[in-house]
Amino acid sequence: MIWNEKAECMSENDKEALQLERLQMAVKRAYESVPYYKKRFDELGIKPEDIKTLKDIEKLPFTTKDDLRDAYPFGMFAVPRKEIVEVHTSSGTTGKPTVSGYTRGDLEIWAEVMARGLCMFGVTEDDIIQNTHGYGLFTGGFGVHYGAQKMGATVIPISTGQTKRQIEIMQDFGTSVMIFTPSYGLYLAEEIEEEGIDTKRMGLKAIGFGAEMWTEEMRQEIQKRFNAPAYNIYGLTEVIGPGVGLECSERDGLHISEDHFYPEIIDSQTHEVLPDGKRGELVLTTLTREGTPLIRFRTKDVTKLTRGKCGCGRTLVKMDRITGRTDDMMKIRGVSVFPSQIEKALLRIDEVEPHYQIIVTRPHLMDEVEVQVEASEGLFSDEIKELVGIREKIEDYIHSEIGLRVKVTLVEPKTLPRSEGKAVRVIDKREL
């Protein structure tokens, strides 16, 4: 089932014509209504009428999170504040938060792109969706909520936490679709198993997950534990929230709604636009946002783009799952390391649980990495030589994955912190 066949199955020519028309309108709106963009365009000697082809987007300046923070709170709004009916912000953990304002038209776009994604998961109006993403200033729970309402499905806005209650609701209400972060999904599965409940009897139809880094091995673990297919969701507050990209039944990349969001991949160092198939930093331009239009927003998410008709019938471009961020990359002894590489190695080991923490220190002149990982109940009761063997095995796998030797510490089951939101995977104690 395809929610909006006209938009999701356009020919490449029709798509590019629509994108150019909307890009020209978006640039004009930004220039005329957002002082930040008028100033930047004028500095570069660019006028909206200079955008005559899609390639001309490369003439435009990038927008960064720092630019949005400098405009806090309402400096990026392109409409009078009275037309903004909803506001969301980022966490602001590195300074002032970024603010995203939504008009009624923006909320309709958000519901539309998320409805497309839910259809990709196989969701229909007959489904009951349990949404464990947070409701509040973060966009987390709202995209799924609006999309589910638009398509007529029943949504349970339970939000984060209340794990015992989550399990009770799943059983009592007959939940058919779960929405959670990968780390919370694993925690939830752990609690369900501890209560002696057979997840196969729950009859879940699909799982939507995202909002944090994950590996294919983690997806497989989630699918095994819940006996249901898991689909990736991508989004970010600055652009609109969850719903920018979503996986279809093929589950080999996320379709971006290109009629609303124009994607580019750049080299994060040179800013050169890279061809399809090359991995780099994702840059997004909003083509239809009214409240806070964004021109060439640098997401810092690392991925690549693939074009062509998908096996599901859609022609929307696909982005790979995010394999890292240009700003969560750890530089260890001169080697670039992403936490997802370590996770991939850990999830190859049956004897450990999918709960871990990476601790980076610099006790002297050399970086040291310790990976704390929970042993399974059975392994922790084994002889010490078994524990040593597994620890060495994990160290070898990680070495093979990242090219560095790290210290692995096996800890008792359920001793590492659990998260009902985004898991804190890395504790960097270096003074960098």
Side-chain angles (χ1 to χ4, degrees):
M1 179 177 165
I2 296 176
W3 175 256
N4 186 337
E5 191 166 345
K6 181 179 178 182
E8 297 176 69
C9 303
M10 275 188 273
S11 71
E12 203 63 30
N13 287 339
D14 288 346
K15 187 195 306 177
E16 289 181 1
L18 178 63
Q19 286 178 318
L20 178 58
E21 177 187 341
R22 289 183 170 180
L23 175 63
Q24 290 168 330
M25 291 171 57
V27 170
K28 188 173 188 293
R29 182 186 304 119
Y31 182 78
E32 294 178 350
S33 305
V34 183
Y36 164 79
Y37 283 121
K38 185 177 190 313
K39 180 174 181 289
R40 291 296 308 277
F41 286 19
D42 286 347
E43 287 173 349
L44 295 171
I46 298 169
K47 299 295 183 187
E49 50 268 28
D50 294 334
I51 306 303
K52 296 181 171 60
T53 68
L54 284 176
K55 186 167 178 57
D56 286 338
I57 196 172
E58 296 178 28
K59 299 176 181 177
L60 301 173
F62 294 107
T63 308
T64 68
K65 275 200 172 191
D66 286 339
D67 297 325
L68 303 186
R69 291 188 184 107
D70 290 343
Y72 178 88
F74 304 141
M76 295 297 285
F77 285 5
V79 298
R81 194 197 49 75
K82 65 182 181 180
E83 294 182 29
I84 299 292
V85 298
E86 189 165 309
V87 171
H88 290 283
T89 75
S90 66
S91 62
T93 52
T94 56
K96 287 285 188 183
T98 62
V99 179
S100 188
Y102 299 74
T103 64
R104 294 191 186 280
D106 291 332
L107 293 183
E108 178 57 32
I109 291 167
W110 200 3
E112 163 68 20
V113 296
M114 198 63 220
R116 295 179 189 180
L118 291 173
C119 269
M120 292 181 202
F121 302 173
V123 177
T124 71
E125 61 184 7
D126 296 321
D127 282 301
I128 298 176
I129 303 173
Q130 188 163 328
N131 189 7
T132 77
H133 283 343
Y135 285 74
L137 277 176
F138 298 165
T139 53
F142 287 86
V144 172
H145 189 98
Y146 294 144
Q149 286 187 331
K150 185 172 181 66
M151 71 186 314
T154 301
V155 60
I156 305 171
I158 192 167
S159 195
T160 55
Q162 313 173 74
T163 301
K164 299 293 184 187
R165 182 68 170 145
Q166 298 273 6
I167 297 169
E168 185 179 278
I169 290 288
M170 289 174 73
Q171 295 178 292
D172 293 348
F173 288 22
T175 298
S176 58
V177 179
M178 286 294 296
I179 307 294
F180 48 55
T181 62
S183 56
Y184 185 56
L186 288 171
Y187 174 53
L188 187 61
E190 191 176 71
E191 292 296 307
I192 291 172
E193 290 166 10
E194 194 166 279
E195 290 193 14
I197 300 168
D198 184 358
T199 52
K200 292 180 181 177
R201 294 182 175 230
M202 287 184 162
L204 282 182
K205 176 180 183 178
I207 292 164
F209 69 102
E212 66 182 4
M213 291 291 301
W214 58 276
T215 60
E216 187 59 36
E217 288 81 1
M218 182 171 270
R219 187 218 295 263
Q220 296 301 326
E221 185 75 15
I222 288 169
Q223 292 182 152
K224 182 176 74 174
R225 294 200 179 199
F226 285 97
N227 195 43
Y231 300 86
N232 193 9
I233 301 171
Y234 174 76
L236 55 167
T237 299
E238 293 81 5
V239 174
I240 203 163
V244 174
L246 301 109
E247 278 189 318
C248 65
S249 55
E250 300 291 305
R251 282 181 288 165
D252 63 352
L254 302 94
H255 288 290
I256 296 176
S257 286
E258 293 178 273
D259 51 332
H260 296 291
F261 315 110
Y262 186 82
E264 302 171 85
I265 299 293
I266 66 166
D267 182 306
S268 61
Q269 301 301 316
T270 67
H271 301 171
E272 173 194 4
V273 176
L274 301 177
D276 291 346
K278 290 287 187 181
R279 193 168 295 279
E281 180 183 346
L282 177 66
V283 171
L284 292 168
T285 296
T286 60
L287 298 178
T288 51
R289 279 296 300 271
E290 297 172 342
T292 46
L294 286 184
I295 305 299
R296 304 191 84 193
F297 179 70
R298 293 187 60 177
T299 68
K300 297 192 176 181
D301 289 324
V302 178
T303 183
K304 67 179 180 180
L305 300 178
T306 307
R307 298 182 195 275
K309 188 173 182 179
C310 178
C312 71
R314 294 172 178 83
T315 57
L316 297 173
V317 69
K318 279 185 178 180
M319 58 176 274
D320 263 18
R321 68 175 179 81
I322 302 302
T323 55
R325 282 179 57 83
T326 58
D327 60 356
D328 80 349
M329 179 186 73
M330 299 178 291
K331 205 78 168 179
I332 309 294
R333 302 174 216 156
V335 177
S336 299
V337 178
F338 286 102
S340 57
Q341 293 174 287
I342 292 177
E343 178 180 287
K344 182 178 179 181
L346 291 177
L347 289 174
R348 292 171 62 191
I349 311 291
D350 293 332
E351 294 88 348
V352 298
E353 296 296 321
H355 301 290
Y356 67 94
Q357 204 154 57
I358 303 165
I359 301 171
V360 188
T361 58
R362 184 175 288 171
H364 301 292
L365 298 176
M366 188 74 73
D367 293 334
E368 301 292 343
V369 180
E370 178 187 7
V371 180
Q372 295 183 351
V373 57
E374 288 185 5
S376 65
E377 293 278 0
L379 178 63
F380 213 78
S381 62
D382 286 345
E383 293 181 2
I384 197 72
K385 65 179 182 181
E386 293 293 329
L387 292 171
V388 171
I390 294 299
R391 179 176 58 76
E392 292 175 348
K393 185 178 179 182
I394 297 172
E395 289 177 349
D396 287 341
Y397 277 359
I398 293 176
H399 178 252
S400 175
E401 191 67 36
I402 68 174
L404 291 174
R405 283 284 172 189
V406 305
K407 176 186 176 183
V408 170
T409 303
L410 294 173
V411 300
E412 291 186 39
K414 301 181 182 176
T415 55
L416 291 178
R418 297 297 194 261
S419 172
E420 293 176 344
K422 292 188 182 182
V424 179
R425 298 297 195 195
V426 180
I427 298 176
D428 195 336
K429 296 183 177 181
R430 299 173 297 176
E431 294 183 5
L432 301 177

